[in-house]
Amino acid sequence: MSSNLHIAFRFLTAKKRAMLMSLSCIVLGVGLFIVTQATTSGFEEFFIKTILGTNGAIRIEDKIQYTMRSMAAGGFSSKYEIKTKEGRKYIEGIEEPKLLIDAVKRFPNVAGVSEVLHGAVIMRSAFKNESVRVYGINLDDHERVSDIRRQIVRGKIADFPGALSGSIIGIEMAQRMQLELGDTYQLEVGGQVRRYRVTAIYETGVSDIDRVRVYLNMGEARSLLQKITGASFLQVGLINRDRAQQDARSMTEVLQHNTKSWQEREKTWLEVFRALRISSAITVSVFTLIAGLAMFNTLAMIVMEKTKEIAILRSMGFTREDISQIFLWQATIVLTIGTALGWVLGAVITYGVSKTPINIRGIFAADTFIVSWSIWHYVTATVTAVAMVMLASLIPARRAARLEPGDVIRGTAQ
Amino acid sequence: MLPANDKVALSCTNIHRYLGQGEGRVHVLKGVSFEARRGQVDAIVGPSGCGKSTLLYLLGLLDRQDGGEVWINDRKMSTGSDAERTAARGEHIGFVFQFHFLMQEFTALENVMMPMRKLGRLLLPAMEARARQLLASVGLGDKSHRLGTQLSGGEQQRVAIARALANEPAIILADEPTGNLDVKNSGMVFDLLTRLAKENGQAVILVTHNTEIANRCDAIRPMRDGLFI
Ligand SMILES: Nc1ncnc2c1ncn2[C@@H]1O[C@H](COP(=O)(O)OP(=O)(O)OP(=O)(O)O)[C@@H](O)[C@H]1O
Ligand SMILES: [Mg+2]
């Protein structure tokens, strides 16, 4: 062990109680930082999973038509003519889904494309009427761009494609209409009424979906909504979800259709999660800040108490750098122990929290706290603690290094 | 081969030192010149407050003079950088303070080993052996594992002397090294210092109020009011 480290250890033990304060703040700071990051990013991650599992990574809808306006600059015979995009006009829906699907599939990041046709209908059961939306899908395609198979909570999805009158309804809808698996109900649109059977019930956790979406087979939906061609939108699944924004931008350019990535669609919620994650990090960093202050205080105290020892060390040939190192070592020792304990605390609490029951419905479905395990939470917590504590230690360490042995011995050191 | 005795190990010329601020500023050293030779023991004597300790700090490079020069082993140290002076302290100077002596959280053995570990000339076992031997030679062979706080004032002083000798410095500066010691231990410490001076050719400068000890030194330098007389 280097003699500076050795001396640092002994100096530390001389101020055990003050150091313990600093240590416990580091443990709390690091531990709670990890826990808050694990939970906030756990929920965020889960929310993203839900988005991708329901509405997919990218949605393509509405053809874009640019309306151009020509302006002759400087008189009407001028050769400078500026074409400005006056505005975009959207033509609702997708006229040629087959052509568009082929074009979309040429993008390398695309994992699957599903055409969807939707329309508003009235649902009638024995108890009441509700307005809901029919979603016509080809199950094989739709499975490639969503998690619909895993969202099924009752019934068998395999029974759906074969049955013309089969349907998959949301769990909230089922509760409100008091429908069970195998029950029948009616859908009414434009004066025509048809009867359907509940083949399966799904739960996404997203109220807006679970309450209103009824999935029908595409052919049946076309006939019910009386739309022989075209689609409402295309739902696109991606291989790398993080490229969704770039892909959406180039699809808009190339396909001339209004294309939205999941980040753009869910911007508000994503911002909320991000703000939550950052604000909780800041809140918890208060502990680390206190750890830094406590360390500053403790080291300053040790420097004051040990001026004579410092003078003795200097008389034996210890340099100014040695002296400041001795004090920085003290901070490092406490930091190392504190961070290690903080990791353990963080991991234990995170595990405990992940087993804690909680019932969340609305933006996703969760039955326990959702945590994400990431080494980066630990790294960030450590970096924050190291930065704060070392910064706070620099001042007393430099002070110690600046002491003049002559002044100390005469008792006139300041 | 022994280093040539009589060679000047340390010298200072026309040293001035003021202490205090503003109104309280005192001209403590008023042009002191001095030479210490290898193999010789010098005693600085004089009334309390005449500036003996102040001079010793300057010779030990623990303080900066306001005028004059300090030379150690033919190198001018008075204007040297802090790093140079620190290195010279570790290598060439052993200092025994008048009042505070030890690093309190460390054992006697660790205290004596500390300058050796800093200098890093020996391997750890050799350092420990040397430290034990030094402690034995000041009569503390059996107390080497006591902490500073578990030793009496006189014992601490003897550990400090052993520590000053650790790196075999060319120059030993001791501020009343026998101040807290009884007659027997004073004699032992003094004998040790003179033996080292004679055998190893170290220059020993000690401040003392003890006339008997002063009389046994090679030279007595009486000091009064910031000047040798
Ligand atoms: N910070 C200071 N400000 C002003 N004067 C000081 C200061 N420190 C010391 N002095 C004065 O300097 C003078 C020399 O002090 P020094 O400690 O060198 O004396 P000394 O000869 O070692 O005395 P003693 O034998 O009592 O140890 C004293 O008169 C003292 O009052
Ligand atoms: Mg004195």
Side-chain angles (χ1 to χ4, degrees):
Chain A
M1 190 165 32
S2 94
S3 49
N4 290 350
L5 181 54
H6 182 219
I7 295 166
F9 255 117
R10 292 296 169 83
F11 278 9
L12 263 188
T13 53
K15 272 262 158 283
K16 276 195 209 101
R17 206 161 325 149
M19 277 300 175
L20 224 57
M21 162 80 184
S22 202
L23 181 80
S24 31
C25 285
I26 295 173
V27 175
L28 278 181
V30 170
L32 295 183
F33 192 99
I34 291 169
V35 174
T36 55
Q37 292 309 291
T39 48
T40 50
S41 60
F43 279 120
E44 184 179 9
E45 179 59 28
F46 192 69
F47 175 69
I48 293 172
K49 251 202 181 134
T50 307
I51 297 172
L52 297 178
T54 51
N55 287 334
I58 285 179
R59 176 181 287 198
I60 303 174
E61 55 193 343
D62 303 347
K63 190 174 165 70
I64 302 171
Q65 225 176 31
Y66 291 106
T67 49
M68 297 293 194
R69 182 174 61 161
S70 310
M71 260 194 325
F76 109 103
S77 61
S78 164
K79 55 182 173 178
Y80 298 106
E81 197 185 35
I82 303 163
K83 284 206 160 135
T84 56
K85 285 179 185 174
E86 191 177 52
R88 293 172 170 202
K89 224 172 76 187
Y90 294 107
I91 299 171
E92 204 187 303
I94 288 158
E95 288 171 350
E96 297 281 359
K98 295 281 170 287
L99 289 179
L100 201 58
I101 287 172
D102 285 343
V104 172
K105 280 185 172 162
R106 258 175 251 137
F107 283 83
N109 194 25
V110 168
V113 189
S114 167
E115 65 176 309
V116 179
L117 180 72
H118 66 65
V121 300
I122 306 288
M123 180 184 252
R124 297 177 192 278
S125 75
F127 299 90
K128 55 173 156 181
N129 300 347
E130 287 267 359
S131 64
V132 299
R133 294 190 80 81
V134 159
Y135 276 64
I137 54 169
N138 298 310
L139 186 64
D140 277 353
D141 291 339
H142 207 68
E143 270 195 78
R144 252 172 245 133
V145 301
S146 72
D147 273 341
I148 190 161
R149 183 176 285 273
R150 267 194 286 139
Q151 288 154 359
I152 300 299
V153 287
R154 258 170 266 160
K156 277 210 268 326
I157 197 170
D159 299 340
F160 173 68
L164 268 188
S165 63
S167 71
I168 307 175
I169 67 169
I171 187 152
E172 280 189 49
M173 183 186 295
Q175 281 156 4
R176 284 157 70 129
M177 306 297 291
Q178 305 208 11
L179 289 172
E180 294 292 338
L181 216 56
D183 289 355
T184 59
Y185 60 91
Q186 291 175 328
L187 292 182
E188 180 194 327
V189 61
Q192 83 170 297
V193 178
R194 293 194 189 183
R195 182 165 290 277
Y196 295 95
R197 183 177 297 279
V198 179
T199 315
I201 298 175
Y202 68 85
E203 178 178 32
T204 63
V206 185
S207 293
D208 287 345
I209 295 176
D210 294 353
R211 212 171 40 214
V212 296
R213 271 191 206 174
V214 181
Y215 289 103
L216 297 182
N217 286 302
M218 186 54 119
E220 183 54 35
R222 282 195 190 291
S223 118
L224 177 69
L225 298 171
Q226 300 192 322
K227 280 193 183 144
I228 313 306
T229 60
S232 305
F233 63 84
L234 299 186
Q235 183 160 324
V236 182
L238 295 183
I239 297 163
N240 176 4
R241 70 175 199 204
D242 295 327
R243 282 186 40 93
Q245 279 171 302
Q246 290 113 285
D247 285 341
R249 240 174 283 129
S250 46
M251 283 179 192
T252 308
E253 283 294 310
V254 175
L255 308 174
Q256 293 292 306
H257 276 74
N258 182 19
T259 306
K260 283 212 167 104
S261 63
W262 58 273
Q263 292 101 323
E264 202 183 340
R265 272 188 346 244
E266 303 292 347
K267 200 172 167 136
T268 325
W269 275 111
L270 291 171
E271 290 286 322
V272 169
F273 279 110
R274 208 168 64 97
L276 210 63
R277 186 155 45 90
I278 293 171
S279 74
S280 65
I282 292 171
T283 311
V284 165
S285 294
V286 168
F287 283 102
T288 323
L289 187 73
I290 296 173
L293 292 177
M295 181 60 82
F296 174 86
N297 197 35
T298 313
L299 286 186
M301 252 173 2
I302 296 182
V303 171
M304 295 230 280
E305 251 174 53
K306 300 287 175 196
T307 51
K308 285 172 183 168
E309 271 84 353
I310 293 168
I312 293 171
L313 287 169
R314 296 280 280 132
S315 82
M316 295 190 296
F318 283 72
T319 62
R320 290 188 196 281
E321 290 72 42
D322 287 324
I323 303 298
S324 80
Q325 229 180 61
I326 286 171
F327 286 90
L328 293 179
W329 266 127
Q330 296 179 53
T332 310
I333 293 164
V334 177
L335 253 180
T336 311
I337 300 172
T339 308
L341 292 178
W343 284 354
V344 174
L345 182 76
V348 168
I349 299 184
T350 304
Y351 181 78
V353 162
S354 75
K355 298 289 167 217
T356 308
I358 183 182
N359 193 344
I360 302 180
R361 293 295 183 277
I363 57 168
F364 47 64
D367 299 314
T368 58
F369 269 89
I370 295 162
V371 302
S372 91
W373 296 91
S374 162
I375 185 73
W376 290 108
H377 303 152
Y378 294 73
V379 172
T380 323
T382 308
V383 169
T384 320
V386 168
M388 295 241 195
V389 172
M390 286 324 264
L391 214 65
S393 313
L394 276 179
I395 300 162
R398 280 187 48 192
R399 217 183 112 86
R402 271 209 307 269
L403 285 174
E404 289 292 344
D407 292 340
V408 172
I409 297 156
R410 272 193 301 272
T412 53
Q414 20 235 326
Chain B
M1 243 209 40
L2 294 174
N5 280 12
D6 287 355
K7 207 173 157 249
V8 175
L10 173 154
S11 70
C12 68
T13 50
N14 201 26
I15 293 282
H16 286 268
R17 182 70 172 116
Y18 296 83
L19 289 176
Q21 304 284 321
E23 290 284 294
R25 197 165 153 91
V26 188
H27 198 175
V28 178
L29 297 178
K30 302 169 178 167
V32 180
S33 299
F34 175 77
E35 247 179 36
R37 291 169 188 282
R38 288 177 176 275
Q40 200 167 323
V41 183
D42 292 281
I44 298 175
V45 298
S48 179
C50 71
K52 305 180 296 291
S53 296
T54 308
L55 176 63
L56 224 56
Y57 300 150
L58 289 170
L59 298 179
L61 308 180
L62 293 168
D63 193 17
R64 292 260 190 186
Q65 69 293 334
D66 294 308
E69 291 177 354
V70 180
W71 293 72
I72 282 170
N73 290 340
D74 296 327
R75 280 185 63 190
K76 185 173 167 183
M77 299 307 303
S78 40
T79 51
S81 69
D82 188 74
E84 270 177 87
R85 288 160 58 96
T86 304
R89 282 202 294 268
E91 217 176 328
H92 304 304
I93 300 172
F95 204 100
V96 183
F97 290 98
Q98 185 176 5
F99 297 113
H100 27 76
F101 313 109
L102 297 187
M103 306 278 293
Q104 297 294 339
E105 283 87 18
F106 294 82
T107 64
L109 190 72
E110 287 167 334
N111 263 282
V112 178
M113 284 172 71
M114 207 169 282
M116 298 192 251
R117 292 182 63 163
K118 179 62 208 160
L119 195 62
R121 256 192 221 146
L122 302 175
L123 292 175
L124 214 55
M127 289 183 198
E128 192 177 325
R130 176 165 170 75
R132 284 185 189 286
Q133 179 211 326
L134 282 167
L135 283 172
S137 66
V138 293
L140 290 171
D142 53 342
K143 293 185 175 166
S144 60
H145 281 289
R146 296 262 189 101
L147 289 176
T149 46
Q150 299 163 337
L151 293 168
S152 76
E155 287 167 339
Q156 291 188 40
Q157 196 162 26
R158 281 183 281 156
V159 176
I161 290 163
R163 190 180 61 196
L165 304 175
N167 286 336
E168 294 194 290
I171 301 149
I172 296 161
L173 300 167
D175 201 347
E176 300 208 34
T178 59
N180 288 309
L181 303 184
D182 57 29
V183 179
K184 178 176 152 254
N185 278 312
S186 302
M188 179 169 75
V189 164
F190 182 76
D191 290 343
L192 174 68
L193 290 175
T194 35
R195 201 182 75 225
L196 289 172
K198 301 305 162 200
E199 287 176 6
N200 298 353
Q202 285 162 296
V204 178
I205 301 155
L206 50 90
V207 170
T208 183
H209 284 294
N210 183 330
T211 37
E212 198 186 319
I213 288 210
N215 285 329
R216 287 171 60 194
C217 291
D218 297 313
I220 302 179
R221 306 301 214 109
M223 199 175 173
R224 183 159 303 147
D225 218 4
L227 278 172
F228 283 123
I229 45 176

